[in-house]
Amino acid sequence: MTEEIMNETTPTSGLLTEIDHVAIAVKDLDAAIEYYQQAFGATVTHREVVESDGVDEALIKVADSYIQLTAATRPDSPIAKSIEKRGEGLHHIGYRVANCQEALDAMVAAGATAIDQAPRPGSRGTTVAFVHPKGSFGTLIELVQE
Ligand code: CO
């Protein structure tokens, strides 16, 4: 078997089990929800305010992943700061893992910079940890353990 064929037929993603969510920072959450409804017929499956993070989020389920429309609840929210700096748009990718601590340790060992020094509660009852885009090829990564 060549390496190429093996990549198609064998699991090669290591600690990653699924794309958990794609998070999109928006100014007006209701307008974004309505847009996804009108454009795709997509409906919100989960709505949650995470006050500790200063975010109001709406999850749209796509297969076993989510689109996470995220708005700020206060001016010092990371989402508010991101929109101020870069405008609306792609904010971070949530990678689903079986064990958040194990994945965080592996990323740090590989040279990544942890934002969360230890896993903490996320939305939907998950356990999460954020890793800085610097050292991760410009992508803010959230490790998500269900
Ligand atoms: Co997220």
Side-chain angles (χ1 to χ4, degrees), residues 14-142:
L15 300 179
L16 305 175
T17 63
E18 184 70 70
I19 303 296
D20 187 83
H21 63 275
V22 173
I24 299 167
V26 301
K27 290 179 189 169
D28 184 338
L29 191 55
D30 290 332
I33 291 167
E34 197 182 322
Y35 172 74
Y36 273 76
Q37 164 71 46
Q38 286 180 356
F40 304 114
T43 53
V44 171
T45 46
H46 183 84
R47 199 59 206 266
E48 186 168 341
V49 173
V50 184
E51 203 41 68
S52 53
D53 287 342
V55 301
D56 185 2
E57 64 180 52
L59 296 179
I60 293 166
K61 202 165 196 290
V62 182
D64 201 26
S65 302
Y66 297 92
I67 297 164
Q68 184 189 73
L69 302 171
T70 310
T73 59
R74 52 175 196 262
D76 66 340
S77 155
I79 294 296
K81 287 179 187 167
S82 175
I83 289 174
E84 201 177 302
K85 264 192 207 164
R86 291 175 289 273
E88 294 178 297
L90 191 59
H91 185 261
H92 65 270
I93 306 287
Y95 291 150
R96 197 176 301 155
V97 295
N99 184 312
C100 193
Q101 182 72 67
E102 180 191 13
L104 182 62
D105 291 346
M107 287 194 75
V108 169
T113 303
I115 293 173
D116 294 306
Q117 299 307 315
R120 62 183 178 82
S123 66
R124 284 191 303 126
T126 57
T127 300
V128 304
F130 278 90
V131 176
H132 204 281
K134 273 181 204 159
S136 296
F137 296 87
T139 304
L140 176 58
I141 292 172
E142 180 182 9

